[in-house]
Amino acid sequence: MKHFLSTKDLTTEEMLTMLELAESYRTNHLKLDQQLFAANLFYEPSTRTKMSFLVAQKKLGIETLGFQVEDSSVTKGESLYDTAKTFESIGASLLVIRHQDDNWYKGIIDNLSVPVINAGAGKGEHPTQSMLDLLTIYQEYGHFNGLNIAIVGDIKHSRVAHSNAHALQTLGANVYFTAAPGFEDRTLDFPYISIDEAVEMCDTLMLLRIQHERHNDEQYDATSYHEAYGLTVEREKKMQDHAIILHPAPVNRGVEIASELVECNRSRIFKQMNNGVCVRMAIITTLLKEWGMHNENSTYKCSTLSRIK
Amino acid sequence: MKHFLSTKDLTTEEMLTMLELAESYRTNHLKLDQQLFAANLFYEPSTRTKMSFLVAQKKLGIETLGFQVEDSSVTKGESLYDTAKTFESIGASLLVIRHQDDNWYKGIIDNLSVPVINAGAGKGEHPTQSMLDLLTIYQEYGHFNGLNIAIVGDIKHSRVAHSNAHALQTLGANVYFTAAPGFEDRTLDFPYISIDEAVEMCDTLMLLRIQHERHNDEQYDATSYHEAYGLTVEREKKMQDHAIILHPAPVNRGVEIASELVECNRSRIFKQMNNGVCVRMAIITTLLKEWGMHNENSTYKCSTLSRIK
Amino acid sequence: MKHFLSTKDLTTEEMLTMLELAESYRTNHLKLDQQLFAANLFYEPSTRTKMSFLVAQKKLGIETLGFQVEDSSVTKGESLYDTAKTFESIGASLLVIRHQDDNWYKGIIDNLSVPVINAGAGKGEHPTQSMLDLLTIYQEYGHFNGLNIAIVGDIKHSRVAHSNAHALQTLGANVYFTAAPGFEDRTLDFPYISIDEAVEMCDTLMLLRIQHERHNDEQYDATSYHEAYGLTVEREKKMQDHAIILHPAPVNRGVEIASELVECNRSRIFKQMNNGVCVRMAIITTLLKEWGMHNENSTYKCSTLSRIK
């Protein structure tokens, strides 16, 4: 694996190996003993993904280079390729990129000579988010085979849904979609079920955020949407005892999910964020190893110091 | 002290202990030997406060996580609580927050499980600014008891005035307010005196910045304001020999204070900024100690390397 | 040399010494063993210059303080001088400043007590860009004496052209300008030649970016401009075998230069960016040494770890 761009590229073994590595980083992790630079190029807003990449990099001892589109040469018309090549030229050994184009990496990736991680591609893929969702499920069940997983909400505009559907199918889970009319994505071949069917049968309910910023003029009423298609307090009561709730956040409280459920017992929403750090550490070290930029001899072990929740 | 939110919460002993600790950090300070992360969440513009927190954290060996509201999930409607909880989840051991709400910490603080520092709350409080003002006065006089201190300017919109008035009263100083008509804050019970009375009788003149961004359509003429209510070159001559001038900056030169007085002999304006670093180091280590995240054995001493001015 | 502001201030010996130092940093460089802070104050957008200063500083072990104009007290009207003085007060030992004023440093530099580097001054000077251009030429030819160098494009608005013309003249090169009508700068005394003369006779073709953001309402057609004044595929074929192409980037592909030439054999465009890091390291250590903030005993050598391209 030279780059980390899409869950479609990943085999079951590759995913499980990375999840085990991520889990091991919760208690002990490597610190590189050479000075490497990572460039984090976010063309779209981000809190969780950007910040957990920063924490992951700093825990590994990697120097971080920030980038604000509006203060950069992007404002002078510089292309993504030229910007990426610039960071490579000034010494970045790793590029982490989020961009509004669903396929931003196609056409440029072959001309870059450092590993690249997709931190979100328009409505296309968000494979590192998928890996942290997988880790959260794996911590719960220890496997994926035969699990019933419902992905619920704005499927059409959700890169999270796309990456998770592919990954979970590869891993042997039964994937179902639930969407309000107009929010379906018919280009993907997964069965649609209603929210009421989903809450009763699933082991994991993966809620999605309504992507207001990707809708054009479609209007919807938050309260009606919540009643008809969201996880209400009433619906949560019908979930199986062991079933858990995921959401990539930020949460539209009272829309996809009742505000009082965000931190309920079966919610893993903040645990997902915590998992994001060790998952991204595992993705980074896997790639650096593949590129010969790190091996176990060029690192030292250190116990994880920030508190595990 | 679990959080640092308001000078109203502080006893005389707590303040003096922190000032002594801050003063000691000017020559020697601790460096934590574990990797901790601080999240600096500034919802309003800042140069001095943000940068001196960064310097304070880096001197203590704490990793910093930046945050630009406009590049974050705040643009997708994420609440302050959800954002704070996110940073906690990804590993921040300390939150430093500036927000436009006068009482942003009320209602959210009990659900956070890391120490929180108020770096400015709307027109409410700005307790870390107050601590650096106190240190500057303390360096000058060695005590606060019976000192005459005039807080001058836009009292109504000034969180600095509010925090300082409470703190100085606790410490035994005589606090007076001076304000142009409309700039008073009648919710606080301190005597108002004229600018001409203030300059003649005070030991410390604490000037405030006119908060243009918090005024609505009130217009004022800078030159007339300066003549009537500002520290002019003429007024400065009437100050007592030992009296000093403070201003939290940024300064509106020629409005609150004559431009040529900004770096005059009795001005402590740039010294205040310098003091901001060691004061914030003291506040941080005091909180981390309280939360069991640092003790003297888990640190090593290092001499302060940047030049003291 | 107390500050690094203009190539007009530099002697041949000073420039060559810095180029040799920069070249030596490609394989081995110093890491300061005291904690110093650099403030990078960019009032105009930047990718390359800002990021290569960051990499240079981090390689030297210097802590970096970022600054976004729109999140700072500049939005409250704070002047450049007051902002610079603020960073000095909170502990910065080095200021790197880019500002839209052609002469921003005049009038303020004498009141600052830390070294200042000009990272771009409006349409005036950009001396660190010039130094990396010089290093790129020096790597190619080992000298400057008698080299024919054509600076081509938007001379009038280009601080890069101004800094390079002065420096190259000092170093003994023959400098020619090539500009479309209206893009000349008649305040500088260098001969103008046509683009077709330039490509045939020069050893180095220094292309400039058209500074759209500094033009007012002048309109031009990119295709016509490219044909008449740009480096087309046809013109490149007429260059001497050994001649090289420079461009400070970001590149307007298809305007100043044909897109397919950006990474052609004689292009040094990405090598220039790579050179930017070691050149800026050399400028920084030269200034710190001058100010007594570093000497060889207070540093330790380390091999350059990021891959040299």
Side-chain angles (χ1 to χ4, degrees), chain A residues 102-123:
Chain A
D102 293 5
N103 296 294
W104 59 257
Y105 43 88
K106 289 182 183 163
I108 73 168
I109 204 78
D110 293 337
N111 290 314
L112 296 174
S113 49
V114 293
V116 178
I117 297 176
N118 177 5
K123 303 182 299 295

Side-chain angles (χ1 to χ4, degrees), chain B residues 186-197:
Chain B
R186 297 294 179 191
T187 67
L188 294 180
D189 186 24
F190 291 93
Y192 279 81
I193 59 177
S194 74
I195 177 70
D196 291 299
E197 290 171 297

Side-chain angles (χ1 to χ4, degrees), chain C residues 75-132:
Chain C
T75 62
K76 304 176 189 166
E78 187 159 57
S79 69
L80 174 59
Y81 173 72
D82 283 347
T83 298
K85 203 78 191 162
T86 294
F87 277 89
E88 186 192 311
S89 300
I90 63 172
S93 295
L94 174 67
L95 303 179
V96 177
I97 300 178
R98 166 172 291 188
H99 193 275
Q100 58 278 9
D101 184 333
D102 294 5
N103 296 295
W104 59 258
Y105 42 89
K106 290 182 184 162
I108 74 169
I109 204 78
D110 293 337
N111 289 315
L112 296 173
S113 49
V114 292
V116 178
I117 297 176
N118 177 5
K123 303 183 298 294
E125 286 243 18
H126 190 353
T128 69
Q129 174 70 42
S130 177
M131 287 301 291
L132 73 88

Side-chain angles (χ1 to χ4, degrees), chain A residues 38-137:
Chain A
N40 299 305
L41 312 182
F42 282 73
Y43 286 74
E44 291 191 319
S46 172
T47 297
R48 264 155 295 281
T49 306
K50 183 157 55 175
M51 288 302 136
S52 67
F53 265 114
L54 279 182
V55 173
Q57 291 158 359
K58 285 167 189 267
K59 283 192 172 186
L60 292 168
I62 296 171
E63 303 275 9
T64 62
L65 297 175
F67 176 81
Q68 271 81 41
V69 166
E70 64 276 13
D71 292 334
S72 78
S73 291
V74 176
T75 63
K76 303 176 191 166
E78 188 160 56
S79 69
L80 174 60
Y81 172 72
D82 283 347
T83 299
K85 203 77 192 163
T86 294
F87 277 89
E88 186 192 310
S89 300
I90 63 171
S93 295
L94 173 68
L95 303 179
V96 177
I97 300 178
R98 166 172 291 188
H99 193 276
Q100 58 277 9
D101 184 332
D102 293 5
N103 296 294
W104 59 257
Y105 43 88
K106 289 182 183 163
I108 73 168
I109 204 78
D110 293 337
N111 290 314
L112 296 174
S113 49
V114 293
V116 178
I117 297 176
N118 177 5
K123 303 182 299 295
E125 286 243 18
H126 191 352
T128 68
Q129 174 70 41
S130 177
M131 288 301 290
L132 73 88
D133 294 336
L134 297 179
L135 180 60
T136 311
I137 297 170

